[in-house]
């Protein structure tokens, strides 16, 4: 049976003493209550939309090994029993599967992959709540929101810099998704969500264990990335930071846990950083990573992979770190591709190149795309040079591709390495840009111009 009104479930409705203290510390503003019940979350229409989204997103299996393809027949057999458990409060989410992926700046990012059934339920919760919460979020918040994205955040940031706010408080929250305080988050949710069963279910998802190497460890904090609900929960918690920054009159841009506050002087920025650090610690139990945070001018910092020029009217450009990281990823492909045909290697490269230029298409400094084009073509020629291995093979291939006999042999006997030869005139003549284009290699600069014309 559904829980009776006022009855407490799993400690969420009553909260802990820490949650009550954290809630009491808020500024007292009230918001409209959300008329979402567990029955609405589990309605046929909402669940069908959630199912379609989970299937279209695909993704890896959770701890039970079930794939999205196996979800439909499983639900046909078990959904009514699962729904009953959800409504009577006896449902227990499965542990999430721990996955660690390397971060670009070192360290690892922890992902928690829920089972497909739990992804379905989380998606249903997200759909039921997102429409109520999103309109109340700050206009300066851009991450994980419908109709908003990284490019919108970058445009807003450029407007602040162009308006004369040429110092930025670049604030990094230390392991944000791993350190979210459950009591603080649940107290924020309880301000607007009246249905205790919905709150209890969210609490259980927060506390679901994490499995690695067959062992399950309990979770007392954090909301690991990987589930559909985590992005919304992070925005609900950090909305309090947004509202505090607005109350103080600051210009800022926040994308998920990346927050940049724009000020007019270094001294003012240092004061803002110290003050906001205290606010986050006292109110949200979050810690600022001082090693990665700084007060500096925007063109000395990286935001969402971009940076700015120093012009009075600043321009967006690709950050140096983003180029280096992209080259590092491509080098691994080139290394693996030494044993493959050039056509197959280019086929594997193509989606990565197109995806990269699509994200960085807002860059107004184009020279980096031309330089990358040259570097990629030279790397491909170096792969060919390595594949040909012996001098007589190199001579035969160069001659076959149009070089005179004497020049082909002279070039083949060169004792220099693959990178030098890949940039030499004999390889540029034997493997011209036109040949690489015919094999499907896109030009980043040409793709950039195409995208610019289409927008």
């Amino acid at each position: 049976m559904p829980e009776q009104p006022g009855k407490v479930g799993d400690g969420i409705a009553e909260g802990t003493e820490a949650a009550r203290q954290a809630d009491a510390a808020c500024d007292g503003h009230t918001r409209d209550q959300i008329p979402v019940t567990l029955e609405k979350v589990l309605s046929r229409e909402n669940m069908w939309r959630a199912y379609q989204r989970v299937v279209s997103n695909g993704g890896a299996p959770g701890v039970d090994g079930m794939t999205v393809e196996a979800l439909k027949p499983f639900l046909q057999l078990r959904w009514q029993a699962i729904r009953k458990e959800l409504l009577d409060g006896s449902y227990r989410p499965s542990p999430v599967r721990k996955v660690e992926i390397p971060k670009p700046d070192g360290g690892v990012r922890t992902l928690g992959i829920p089972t497909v059934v739990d992804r379905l339920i989380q998606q249903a919760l997200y759909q039921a709540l997102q429409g109520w919460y999103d309109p109340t979020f700050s206009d300066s918040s851009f991450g994980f929101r419908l109709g908003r994205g990284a490019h919108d955040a970058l445009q807003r940031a450029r407007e602040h810099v162009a308006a004369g706010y040429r110092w930025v408080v670049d604030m990094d929250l230390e392991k944000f998704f791993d350190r979210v305080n459950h009591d603080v988050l649940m107290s924020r949710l309880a301000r607007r969500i009246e249905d205790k069963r919905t709150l209890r279910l969210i609490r259980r998802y927060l506390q679901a264990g994490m499995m690695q190497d067959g062992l399950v460890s309990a979770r007392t904090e954090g909301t690991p990335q990987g589930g559909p609900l985590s992005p919304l929960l992070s925005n609900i918690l950090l909305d309090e930071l947004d509202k505090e920054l607005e109350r103080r009159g600051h210009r800022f841009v926040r994308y998920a846990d990346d927050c940049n506050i724009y000020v007019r002087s270094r001294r003012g920025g240092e004061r803002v950083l110290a003050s906001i650090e205290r606010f986050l610690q006292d109110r949200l139990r979050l810690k600022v990573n001082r090693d990665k945070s700084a007060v500096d001018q925007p063109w000395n910092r990286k935001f969402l992979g971009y940076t700015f020029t120093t012009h009075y009217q600043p321009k967006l450009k690709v950050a140096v770190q983003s180029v280096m990281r992209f080259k590092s990823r491509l080098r691994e492909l080139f290394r693996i591709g030494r044993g493959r045909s050039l056509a197959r290697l280019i086929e594997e490269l193509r989606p990565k190149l197109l995806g990269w230029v699509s994200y960085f298409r807002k860059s107004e400094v184009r020279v980096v795309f031309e330089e990358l084009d040259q570097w990629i073509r030279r790397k491909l020629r170096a792969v060919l040079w390595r594949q040909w291995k012996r001098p007589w093979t190199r001579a035969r291939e160069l001659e076959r591709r149009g070089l005179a006999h004497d020049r082909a042999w002279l070039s083949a006997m060169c004792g220099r390495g693959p990178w030098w030869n890949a940039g030499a005139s004999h390889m540029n003549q034997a493997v011209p840009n036109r040949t690489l284009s015919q094999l499907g290699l896109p030009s980043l600069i040409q793709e950039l111009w195409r995208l610019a014309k289409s927008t």
Side-chain angles (χ1 to χ4, degrees):
M1 293 290 292
E3 191 174 19
Q4 295 299 316
K7 187 176 179 180
V8 175
D10 284 5
I12 175 52
E14 79 280 12
T16 63
E17 184 61 28
R20 285 195 293 271
Q21 290 176 357
D23 203 29
C26 76
D27 55 13
H29 70 280
T30 59
R31 301 180 184 179
D32 294 336
Q33 294 296 305
I34 296 176
V36 170
T37 63
L38 206 50
E39 284 81 5
K40 290 182 179 179
V41 172
L42 302 176
S43 67
R44 184 179 183 87
E45 179 185 358
N46 191 51
M47 292 305 303
W48 174 243
R49 287 198 298 123
Y51 170 80
Q52 290 177 309
R53 176 56 62 91
V54 168
V55 171
S56 65
N57 287 344
V63 295
D64 61 356
M66 184 187 299
T67 64
V68 291
E69 291 78 16
L71 180 59
K72 183 176 181 179
F74 176 82
L75 293 176
Q76 289 173 336
L77 292 174
R78 289 279 300 140
W79 175 243
Q80 289 305 318
I82 293 173
R83 187 176 188 277
K84 181 179 181 300
E85 291 175 6
L86 287 163
L87 290 172
D88 66 23
S90 61
Y91 182 80
R92 294 290 190 277
S94 299
V96 296
R97 182 167 62 86
K98 184 176 182 179
V99 176
E100 293 181 338
I101 58 175
K103 296 173 72 173
D105 52 355
V108 295
R109 175 178 287 111
T110 300
L111 301 183
I113 310 299
T115 64
V116 288
V117 173
D118 284 326
R119 290 211 292 271
L120 173 71
I121 298 168
Q122 285 194 39
Q123 179 66 32
L125 281 165
Y126 167 81
Q127 291 171 179
L129 297 173
Q130 187 271 342
W132 293 95
Y133 272 106
D134 194 83
T136 69
F137 289 154
S138 169
D139 185 52
S140 297
S141 166
F142 294 88
F144 310 130
R145 297 184 62 187
L146 297 177
R148 288 170 169 246
H151 290 163
D152 303 305
L154 290 161
Q155 177 61 33
R156 183 69 59 83
R158 181 170 59 177
E159 291 171 5
H160 293 328
V161 178
Y165 294 80
R166 298 171 77 82
W167 288 87
V168 61
V169 180
D170 186 357
M171 196 165 55
D172 182 87
L173 298 180
E174 188 173 285
K175 296 183 178 179
F176 169 73
F177 286 94
D178 299 331
R179 299 283 176 82
V180 168
N181 185 290
H182 290 175
D183 292 328
V184 173
L185 174 57
M186 292 309 303
S187 73
R188 275 35 177 191
L189 290 168
R191 290 178 187 175
R192 300 192 65 195
I193 301 174
E194 292 183 315
D195 185 65
K196 294 177 175 60
R197 295 167 302 161
T198 301
L199 291 169
R200 178 180 57 201
L201 182 58
I202 294 173
R203 165 78 83 163
R204 287 181 177 175
Y205 273 117
L206 288 173
Q207 294 180 331
M210 182 171 287
M211 179 178 287
Q212 184 179 31
D213 300 327
L215 299 176
V216 178
S217 57
R219 279 218 321 270
T220 58
E221 63 178 3
T223 169
Q225 301 173 78
L229 195 56
S230 289
L232 177 61
L233 296 180
S234 69
N235 271 336
I236 291 171
L237 182 64
L238 290 176
D239 183 60
E240 191 155 338
L241 168 64
D242 299 340
K243 295 301 190 290
E244 178 66 15
L245 292 171
E246 289 177 345
R247 187 184 68 79
R248 299 184 185 189
H250 290 309
R251 295 189 176 218
F252 70 98
V253 176
R254 183 176 66 79
Y255 190 93
D257 58 333
D258 289 332
C259 185
N260 279 4
I261 307 167
Y262 295 89
V263 295
R264 292 189 182 273
S265 69
R266 178 187 289 276
R267 182 176 296 180
E270 295 288 357
R271 288 197 300 267
V272 169
L273 178 57
S275 176
I276 294 300
E277 185 176 15
R278 289 193 299 271
F279 171 85
L280 289 167
Q281 177 63 44
D282 296 342
R283 293 276 289 274
L284 301 181
R285 308 292 191 267
L286 296 173
K287 185 178 180 181
V288 171
N289 187 335
R290 275 286 187 163
D291 292 335
K292 296 183 179 179
S293 301
V295 177
D296 206 337
Q297 295 189 291
W299 41 87
N300 295 328
R301 304 296 293 180
K302 174 173 67 73
F303 182 51
L304 302 178
Y306 284 77
T307 188
F308 296 93
T309 65
T310 59
H311 298 92
Y312 180 74
Q313 290 296 324
K315 297 180 179 181
L316 286 169
K317 68 175 185 178
V318 184
V320 172
Q321 301 95 315
S322 299
V323 177
M324 293 173 62
R325 186 161 61 247
F326 186 51
K327 282 186 173 182
S328 179
R329 288 168 50 201
L330 293 183
R331 281 191 184 96
E332 181 62 21
L333 269 179
F334 290 130
R335 186 187 65 80
I336 297 172
R338 293 174 190 174
R340 301 174 185 173
S341 69
L342 197 61
R344 184 180 172 189
L345 177 55
I346 289 175
E347 184 181 355
E348 294 179 5
L349 277 173
R350 183 177 175 82
K352 291 178 172 55
L353 299 179
L354 294 178
W356 194 86
V357 74
S358 177
Y359 179 75
F360 286 105
R361 68 183 183 274
K362 294 298 181 180
S363 174
E364 297 162 281
V365 179
R366 309 296 171 88
V367 64
V368 65
F369 298 88
E370 296 173 350
E371 292 173 348
L372 271 172
D373 273 337
Q374 295 170 10
W375 182 82
I376 291 166
R377 290 192 290 261
R378 188 168 177 177
K379 292 294 285 187
L380 288 170
R381 293 182 181 112
V383 168
L384 270 182
W385 190 261
R386 283 191 174 94
Q387 288 179 347
W388 294 342
K389 293 183 180 178
R390 297 178 178 84
W392 67 269
T393 305
R394 291 169 177 168
R396 183 191 64 197
E397 290 293 337
L398 290 172
E399 194 171 349
R400 187 171 69 85
R401 294 165 187 263
L403 270 68
H405 178 81
D406 290 347
R407 187 183 176 206
W409 274 98
L410 183 65
S411 300
M413 297 302 293
C414 171
R416 294 180 179 268
W419 182 249
W420 186 91
N421 279 281
S425 60
H426 53 266
M427 280 299 286
N428 279 270
Q429 180 180 337
V431 190
N433 297 349
R434 180 182 64 257
T435 297
L436 297 175
S437 297
Q438 290 171 348
L439 289 173
L441 180 70
S443 164
L444 298 181
I445 189 65
Q446 290 179 7
E447 182 66 14
L448 187 66
W449 285 112
R450 188 190 69 78
L451 290 170
K453 290 179 181 179
S454 64
T455 56

